[in-house]
Amino acid sequence: MRTSTFTAVAGLCWASATFQSLVAALTVAEINGNRFISEYSGQIVTGVEGLVIAKGPNGIWIRSTTPDDDPTTSEAIYVFGNSVGSKLTVGDLISLDGKVTEYRNNANYMYLTEISSPKNVKVVSSGHTVTPLVIGKDTPSPPTVQYSSLDSGDIYTLPNGVANISEVNPILEPTKYGLDFWESLSGELVTIRKPIAIKTPNKYGDTWVVGDWTATGRNKHGGLTMSEKDANPEAIIIGSPLDGTSNPTTSKMGDQFDDITGIVQHAYGFYSILPLTAVKVTAPASASAPPTSLVSRHHCKALTVGSYNVENLAPNSTHLPQVAAHIVDYLKTPDLLFIQEVQDDTGPTNDDGIVSANATLAALTDAIHSLSGVTYAFTDVEPLANADGGQPGGNIRVAYLYRPDIVSLYEPNRGGPEDATQVNLPSGPKGKLASPTLTFNPGRIEPANPAWTASRKPLAAAWKAKGAKRPFYTVNLHWSSKGGSTSLHGDVRPPMNGAVDARMAQANVTATFIKQILELDPTANVIAAGDFNEFSFVGPMKLFSEISGMVDLDEAAKVPVEERYTYAFDMNAQALDHIYVRTVTSGRPYGMQPDDPSADKEDAKEFNPDGTDPQNKNYM
Ligand SMILES: *[C@@H]1O[C@H](CO)[C@@H](O)[C@H](O)[C@H]1NC(C)=O
Ligand SMILES: *[C@@H]1O[C@H](CO)[C@@H](O)[C@H](O)[C@H]1NC(C)=O
Ligand SMILES: *[C@@H]1O[C@H](CO)[C@@H](O)[C@H](O)[C@H]1NC(C)=O
Ligand SMILES: *[C@@H]1O[C@H](CO)[C@@H](O)[C@H](O)[C@H]1NC(C)=O
């Protein structure tokens, strides 16, 4: 029952230059309301009562002692004021006046509803017990699939950025949508039982966790993997402890923490829980993922292929030895390796006229050789200086490393930066099917197409494997990055998927080229791999599959959906790097399906490792 009144405030000390309305004796739930933005935003409230449930460096949190039974209205709220907590103790029942404020420090963030400029703070009584709400017991469990009613059922649907939560201000549906769930608990003191870390923390020790509630997408390592239409709103980030202690920065995916009690607060663009004190690891997860179990026969019967984004690799990069060790220890020196983000021989030095990456590639292959004795050859096509985006002066490009004793370029003819390679079908010897050739091998795909402005051009190549009668074809690519994306917890819905239009155009050009090969030889073996900068279930990848007929190797090899990830970002284990293959029902496809009766069972096993896949150890 509402008992508020509206009064003009002329003459009261609240008023600065303007008139503000004054609202008396609202409950905390009434101030919060059942939407994201308070209907009292900007107004002065007086005589708000609440129990002090936690204190932080810049304010306190109070909980109503006269709760309603509406699960959409939070019973707690943040009171912002540096000194408000100085004379208060957790367990005090207080009353205060203040201004209802919606706060954010970035236009893409959601707002935090708070009471600012607290005045007339009075202790009514002291020594009350403060009991946290156990999530999933005293509250519903967090929704596991959808974030917001404004996401059209799929957070990656297109178009994106069509609405802002703060403008639509929908009524909260906490059992359906993750953001609504956490908003309905804004300011509350909660306990997460049996939390598990789902990624390594950031440098401040902020760590994403999931509690003992139902969660979808759990992978074997303890993380939550994103899948089509399910981006894991049940996860929550644990922020800085309120008592000034620090969370560990060395925890990792799968670590078990002690129960966490803290305040639900929107901060730095995410709903988070500010723990009362630092989180503690009680049971660390086992060490990192095992190396690939794929074994090469060093022959066309079974080659190994890998893909690795080497992240701005220059000859003197401090991470070069680690990259070489990963290729040796985890990828087991595949016969053919697609790499991305290879910088030129002088790294990010700007405008020095150097675009060759021969020294960078030689430094990497030398390091691999000294660790393993394996000799790689390499090939790439230099970009035009400063034309392909990335770190200024670095001139990143894609390149291939290959074991020349096992695979070699088929009719090599290295193209230049502006040469567009074309697919040809030469007339074969009488009665024999000729194989398509590439006019430039390796060669760039339509380098002048505007789809590639300030981005990396894909590099196509035709190869001959030892013992093979026919060539196979590869496309190594690195599409435009997701820079400009907004957070899954952000105000903008569906969240902005940065450069998705560029990737759509790039998918079209890349796939159309592959389609040309397959039109000339429908049984050709084709592998497209690299950093697609997109999830396999989002528009550009769907378009790529539709035009090219290629399938994600994870799909072809029936890797469980939960195990399809190459890194963790925010709350999700996910994959932007992929290997796509052409599977054919006759002949011997790459990425064959193990239960395809035409597949050689023994080889199929090698292509279908237990839970790992040949492209893992791809990095963004
Ligand atoms: C959403 O908010 C952002 C930031 O204020 C603004 O740039 C954008 O135009 C808004 N979008 C819509 C659809 O109103
Ligand atoms: C590598 O060399 C470039 C100059 O060629 C220099 O700018 C850069 O700082 C060096 N990086 C490292 C890690 O030594
Ligand atoms: C880099 O190596 C390729 C052969 O792989 C060669 O054709 C090219 O001339 C080399 N570039 C430079 C600048 O030495
Ligand atoms: C792909 O590109 C072609 C050629 O520019 C264009 O006609 C076609 O509409 C594009 N398809 C899509 C789905 O963008």
Side-chain angles (χ1 to χ4, degrees), residues 449 504-505 508-509 512 543 546-547:
N449 192 305
M504 281 297 239
N508 192 356
V509 178
T512 301
L543 181 66
E546 193 182 299
I547 297 174

Side-chain angles (χ1 to χ4, degrees), residues 147-276:
Y147 279 83
S148 166
S149 56
L150 306 183
D151 290 342
S152 309
D154 180 359
I155 203 162
Y156 286 106
T157 198
L158 295 173
N160 51 29
V162 299
N164 283 320
I165 289 179
S166 59
E167 287 160 22
V168 178
N169 202 18
I171 292 178
L172 303 182
E173 296 181 74
T175 56
K176 273 192 181 163
Y177 303 110
L179 300 182
D180 302 42
F181 174 83
W182 297 111
E183 176 70 20
S184 77
L185 292 172
S186 182
E188 265 296 1
L189 183 70
V190 299
T191 293
I192 301 180
R193 292 191 301 199
K194 297 191 166 57
I196 292 178
I198 55 175
K199 92 176 277 294
T200 46
N202 65 15
K203 62 180 174 181
Y204 308 107
D206 299 348
T207 183
W208 286 92
V209 303
V210 63
D212 65 350
W213 50 80
T214 303
T216 53
R218 277 191 206 263
N219 58 47
K220 283 188 198 157
H221 222 84
L224 297 187
T225 305
M226 185 200 276
S227 60
E228 182 159 22
K229 298 181 186 172
D230 180 352
N232 297 315
E234 65 270 44
I236 187 81
I237 188 168
I238 309 300
S240 296
L242 291 174
D243 65 354
T245 56
S246 299
N247 289 330
T249 52
T250 51
S251 54
K252 59 186 184 304
M253 183 187 282
D255 281 1
Q256 176 89 58
F257 290 120
D258 208 353
D259 289 0
I260 297 169
T261 295
I263 291 287
V264 178
Q265 178 94 332
H266 199 271
Y268 304 107
F270 292 102
Y271 286 97
S272 51
I273 289 179
L274 306 179
L276 298 181

Side-chain angles (χ1 to χ4, degrees), residues 323-345:
V323 170
H326 282 158
I327 291 168
V328 172
D329 298 334
Y330 283 92
L331 295 183
K332 302 286 183 195
T333 52
D335 301 317
L336 176 62
L337 186 59
F338 298 52
I339 56 178
Q340 302 86 37
E341 276 193 30
V342 177
Q343 292 197 337
D344 65 32
D345 296 344

Side-chain angles (χ1 to χ4, degrees), residues 299-301 303 406-408 463-472 590:
H299 186 272
C300 62
K301 285 185 172 164
L303 297 179
I406 302 158
V407 280
S408 52
W463 305 89
K464 193 111 188 230
K466 193 170 158 186
K469 293 197 181 66
R470 301 163 57 209
F472 67 96
Y590 286 82

Side-chain angles (χ1 to χ4, degrees), residues 345 354-359 378-380 382 402 414:
D345 296 344
I354 304 287
V355 286
S356 167
N358 287 1
F378 55 80
T379 188
D380 72 337
E382 296 165 359
Y402 59 100
R414 186 177 187 235

